[in-house]
Amino acid sequence: MTDTLDSAPAAAAGTPASVASVIRAPRGATRTAKSWGAEAAKRMLMNNLDPEVAERPDDLVVYGGTGRAARSWAAYEAIVRTLDELEPDETLLVQSGKPVGVFRTHEWAPRVLIANSNLVGDWATWPEFRRLEDLGLTMYGQMTAGSWIYIGTQGILQGTYETFAAVARSLGRASTGSATGSGASTGSATGSGASTGSATGSTIPADDLRGTLTLTAGCGGMGGAQPLAVTMNGGAVLIVDVDRTRLDRRVAHGYLDEVADDLDAAVARVTAARDAGEALSVGVEGNAAEIFPELLARGIRIDIVTDQTSAHDPLSYLPIGTAVADWQAEAARDPEDFTRRARESMAAHVRAMVGFQDAGAAVFDYGNSIRREAELGGYDRAFSFPGFVPAYIRPLFAEGKGPFRWVALSGDPEDIAKTDRAVAELFPEDAALHRWLRKAGEQVHFEGLPARICWLGYQERHLAGLRFNEMVASGELSGPIVIGRDHLDAGSVASPYRETEAMADGSDAIADWPLLNALLNTASGASWVSIHHGGGVGIGRSIHAGQVCVADGTALAAEKLARVLVNDPGTGVMRHVDAGYDRAREVAAERGLTVPMW
Ligand code: NAD
């Protein structure tokens, strides 16, 4: 595999960025590892650090502020080497991005078990985490960075696209078809979200944000999906980012239409597009904590407001008064003062968001904990608007639906086109899915290995997995397919400011569920399984788990896929049955999930 590294990475933690290597996963159907499970883990680790995929590959940072794929370059090299040597009945253990042991297990066991960023409760704070990180003892794994199943900005695109479609429906904009209800008003932070409706009506037109203007901020690895998600729904959107290079990167990758020279030009472009009913995304360089209040003061009509700056980590949110060039140095010099200033800026940012809500806009927190940070910054109305999960996503979680994704290890985009067609054939009735697959095929630029995402639920995902496995076995596809998901899923996360906000039974902070999910996936035959802390919303605020499996065309892979891809989303249905969601009870009864002691 050394031919995939342009030069040998330097071998110490804290290696200067300039000496890090350009990494690209090997392609094709020939492996150097002894099993496809190990080969796939190795390629996906490398893919996470491909410059096309990672936001700051030189620092091993994949996305989400400081979400890393490995603790250091030395650790990265050791993981790659160990995976190449790993026997098909051995399991590698990875502790916060560092390989720590190889154990004899069996061929049904995962090839890799990963635990990232976990801290004991009373110690689970950013300052303590950073102290331990500085000692070289841990790393921040975010969700799919440290668990090696990030697929670039596409990974969040469909969820963002469906969220904006649900926002449009909540605004009463759907002109045909069934607006089956997202289950919560946009104005309540305390809605139980226990609706039995589906947030993806099957005949909603694709252009249901036409004539609206969305304002958001944060055009990074995940936030960069927002402009394309809005324009795919037909709307106009203005996105603010302090870092011009992030905006330019999204233009280059087809996620953003253009970057305006200044705020006046940006406003002129998006309001004209809104009034003409045109889809257009415009980026503008600036600090959201200044630009949001400025736009509110100007009285510009904005219909939808959200945000995806890296607010979960105050050191990854730029406060007013600091230049981008000084960001890292200032944060490192005095993290406490930087945190205080970032929170003050977030308070100004969120105060403006609440102002837009008071003026009639649909406003929601997009999963970055900005309300809590603004509250810590002294703003007491921060929780006036809801998180996106109780507002729009919970009904999908109750069906075990979540961000199912797959990657072609061949590197051949045609393999993804074939799998797209196969998924469409498997679910002929699902018009929303067909619309998504068509649009994704036309508009999504692959970053790194070709990949696809689509939200599938309980008793759906395994159908796709088994079909892919058949296609690999028959030679229809030119290499194995890796199948995984985000940790943001129905049964794999406890995160009271995001996925489990406002659970019907008040169980928001109960973290047994993601641990059970990880244990079950390990027992079911996943190729690698991970348990993380702090992803999405920051240290102290979430526990979550991931699984990845591999369709290599063998009968054994089919057996494993049939279990993992049923059981994994099944934990989502189970979790929502337990919390009292009627739709989850119906799904369990209809699709044969055994949930004792109802
Ligand atoms: P990222 O670090 O790649 O990007 C964050 C962006 O915010 C950067 O481009 C940065 O320049 C910009 N930024 C920082 N401070 C700013 C300010 N004051 N004004 C304007 N721009 C500013 O992170 P990401 O991967 O895009 O994730 C963004 C956030 O969304 C994180 O908090 C992450 O945890 C969360 N997230 C949400 C979901 C979801 O499903 N909703 C999924 C993944 C991540």
Side-chain angles (χ1 to χ4, degrees):
M1 57 130 294
T2 43
D3 60 352
T4 61
L5 298 176
D6 292 343
S7 62
T15 295
S18 55
V19 297
S21 304
V22 172
I23 292 166
R24 192 163 181 265
R27 270 71 172 155
T30 306
R31 56 179 158 82
T32 53
K34 295 175 182 171
S35 66
W36 273 110
E39 178 75 16
K42 179 188 73 183
R43 290 194 194 184
M44 292 308 297
L45 163 63
M46 298 175 87
N47 195 56
N48 267 14
L49 292 170
D50 184 323
E52 271 185 40
V53 176
E55 294 294 310
R56 289 194 283 127
D58 289 356
D59 299 329
L60 294 145
V61 169
V62 183
Y63 77 102
T66 56
R68 287 193 162 76
R71 195 167 330 159
S72 64
W73 286 111
Y76 163 82
E77 280 214 305
I79 294 170
V80 169
R81 196 173 52 244
T82 308
L83 287 171
D84 260 343
E85 290 163 1
L86 199 74
E87 296 297 334
D89 63 351
E90 288 181 334
T91 297
L92 166 66
L93 267 52
V94 174
Q95 180 261 324
S96 289
K98 184 177 93 169
V100 289
V102 172
F103 292 86
R104 175 106 193 273
T105 53
H106 52 83
E107 62 180 355
W108 271 81
R111 296 286 68 82
V112 192
L113 290 170
I114 298 172
N116 279 326
S117 329
N118 296 288
L119 292 175
V120 171
D122 277 2
W123 283 258
T125 64
W126 274 119
E128 178 62 4
F129 177 81
R130 290 200 179 95
R131 190 183 73 79
L132 295 166
E133 194 181 28
D134 287 347
L135 289 172
L137 298 173
T138 188
M139 73 159 200
Y140 186 54
Q142 258 288 4
M143 288 194 157
T144 52
S147 60
W148 314 336
I149 187 67
Y150 186 69
I151 57 168
T153 303
Q154 186 194 173
I156 200 174
L157 183 63
Q158 192 198 6
T160 312
Y161 165 74
E162 293 296 352
T163 300
F164 279 109
V167 177
R169 285 195 291 280
S170 78
L171 296 175
R173 300 191 52 78
S175 55
T176 63
S178 72
T180 42
S182 63
S185 83
T186 53
S188 154
T190 53
S192 74
S195 146
T196 55
S198 154
T200 50
S202 60
T203 52
I204 299 295
D207 58 350
D208 50 354
L209 281 180
R210 202 167 25 189
T212 66
L213 175 56
T214 297
L215 171 65
T216 188
C219 206
M222 296 280 89
Q226 297 174 100
L228 181 56
V230 173
T231 56
M232 283 172 113
N233 277 294
V237 53
L238 175 59
I239 184 161
V240 182
D241 200 296
V242 281
D243 185 345
R244 171 76 193 225
T245 65
R246 300 299 190 104
L247 296 166
D248 291 340
R249 180 177 170 123
R250 300 311 149 209
V251 173
H253 290 197
Y255 281 87
L256 177 64
D257 292 330
E258 57 190 70
V259 182
D261 289 337
D262 57 36
L263 187 60
D264 290 340
V267 167
R269 287 288 288 149
V270 291
T271 52
R274 177 198 65 200
D275 295 344
E278 285 168 7
L280 178 74
S281 59
V282 178
V284 69
E285 186 181 338
N287 195 311
E290 293 177 306
I291 291 193
F292 278 39
E294 167 68 21
L295 292 170
L296 183 66
R298 289 189 193 187
I300 292 160
R301 196 200 95 207
I302 294 176
D303 304 280
I304 299 159
V305 182
T306 189
D307 170 66
Q308 252 190 72
T309 55
S310 270
H312 69 276
D313 173 5
L315 300 191
S316 296
Y317 182 97
L318 192 73
I320 296 170
T322 297
V324 174
D326 302 330
W327 189 342
Q328 291 213 13
E330 281 193 23
R333 192 163 46 240
D334 190 346
E336 227 171 279
D337 187 58
F338 194 96
T339 296
R340 182 189 58 73
R341 291 176 46 232
R343 285 179 173 152
E344 270 175 25
S345 291
M346 285 191 248
H349 181 162
V350 170
R351 185 180 297 111
M353 292 174 78
V354 172
F356 282 114
Q357 177 169 279
D358 291 344
V363 181
F364 59 96
D365 173 319
Y366 215 157
N368 61 358
S369 211
I370 196 166
R371 290 169 301 170
R372 178 64 181 142
E373 293 298 327
E375 198 174 59
L376 291 169
Y379 180 54
D380 60 6
R381 287 188 65 204
F383 280 87
S384 298
F385 55 85
F388 76 110
V389 172
Y392 306 112
I393 300 292
R394 177 101 2 101
L396 301 180
F397 280 173
E399 297 185 11
K401 265 199 175 173
F404 179 76
R405 59 180 62 171
W406 64 96
V407 181
L409 289 184
S410 64
D412 183 355
E414 188 50 32
D415 278 359
I416 293 297
K418 287 175 183 167
T419 54
D420 281 350
R421 289 195 287 276
V423 171
E425 281 164 20
L426 281 170
F427 305 102
E429 308 293 322
D430 193 338
L433 177 66
H434 284 225
R435 185 185 73 206
W436 160 254
L437 289 170
R438 181 173 43 78
K439 279 183 172 280
E442 288 163 4
Q443 296 186 34
V444 171
H445 163 97
F446 294 135
E447 296 164 306
L449 286 166
R452 183 65 75 225
I453 185 160
C454 74
W455 281 47
L456 292 178
Y458 181 57
Q459 297 291 7
E460 292 178 339
R461 295 185 196 184
H462 71 296
L463 300 176
L466 290 172
R467 181 78 193 96
F468 298 166
N469 200 51
E470 286 166 11
M471 293 166 81
V472 176
S474 69
E476 200 179 332
L477 300 179
S478 50
I481 298 285
V482 164
I483 302 170
R485 59 162 171 76
D486 200 347
H487 293 199
L488 181 165
D489 198 16
S492 56
V493 55
S495 183
Y497 293 137
R498 202 165 96 174
E499 289 88 341
T500 52
E501 174 176 342
M503 291 295 288
D505 64 347
S507 59
D508 307 18
I510 301 289
D512 298 334
W513 302 101
L515 303 183
L516 287 171
N517 172 272
L519 292 169
L520 182 64
N521 282 323
T522 301
S524 300
S527 298
W528 63 101
V529 176
S530 53
I531 295 176
H532 293 200
H533 162 216
V537 283
I539 293 298
R541 295 179 184 156
S542 61
I543 307 270
H544 41 97
Q547 68 76 17
V548 184
C549 33
V550 184
D552 63 6
T554 61
L556 180 61
E559 291 265 351
K560 293 179 179 180
L561 292 167
R563 286 166 179 75
V564 176
L565 296 179
V566 173
N567 296 348
D568 182 38
T571 68
V573 179
M574 169 186 75
R575 200 259 180 272
H576 289 83
V577 168
D578 193 76
Y581 289 86
D582 291 341
R583 180 64 189 140
R585 283 177 188 271
E586 284 167 18
V587 169
E590 286 163 7
R591 304 184 200 170
L593 176 69
T594 304
V595 184
M597 293 166 47
W598 317 45

